[in-house]
């Protein structure tokens, strides 16, 4: 990409950290509802505000970790499939 042909905002939106977090947010969106349902099934919600806040933090961290792992798996599979298809 030639930086002279694009504006300031385009260059910012194409920086690697933003691309990574954009991709990660998609996987987080895809997995967070499943994570919430599984966690509350195994750890029912509490009436205590402190316990509920701690559960919410744990759910967020589990969903974030699962999103990072899922993103890595999908990108690895994508690269593997592209390599195999290019050999054909």
């Amino acid at each position: 990409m030639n930086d002279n042909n694009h504006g300031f905002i385009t260059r910012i939106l194409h920086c690697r950290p933003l691309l990574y977090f954009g991709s990660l947010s998609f996987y987080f969106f895809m997995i967070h509802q499943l994570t919430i349902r599984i966690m509350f099934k195994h750890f029912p919600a509490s009436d205590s505000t402190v316990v509920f806040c701690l559960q919410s933090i744990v759910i967020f961290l589990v969903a974030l970790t699962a999103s990072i792992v899922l993103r890595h798996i999908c990108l690895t599979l994508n690269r593997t499939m592209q390599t195999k298809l290019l050999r054909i």
Side-chain angles (χ1 to χ4, degrees), residues 11-25 71:
R11 289 193 307 260
I12 289 175
L13 292 176
H14 279 91
C15 73
R16 284 185 177 258
L18 284 181
L19 291 173
Y20 174 78
F21 286 115
S23 172
L24 187 59
S25 70
R71 179 186 181 275

Side-chain angles (χ1 to χ4, degrees), residues 74-88:
C74 289
L75 290 178
T76 302
L77 288 174
N78 187 17
R79 288 184 191 126
T80 303
M81 293 303 292
Q82 285 179 356
T83 303
K84 288 183 179 184
L85 288 174
L86 290 174
R87 290 183 190 168
I88 295 178

Side-chain angles (χ1 to χ4, degrees), residues 58-77:
V58 169
I59 288 171
F60 171 77
L61 293 175
V62 168
L64 182 63
T65 303
S67 301
I68 292 169
V69 170
L70 181 63
R71 179 186 181 275
H72 178 73
I73 290 169
C74 289
L75 290 178
T76 302
L77 288 174

Side-chain angles (χ1 to χ4, degrees), residues 24-35:
L24 187 59
S25 70
F26 171 74
Y27 288 98
F28 186 80
F29 168 76
M30 296 296 289
I31 203 164
H32 82 280
Q33 191 60 247
L34 178 65
T35 305

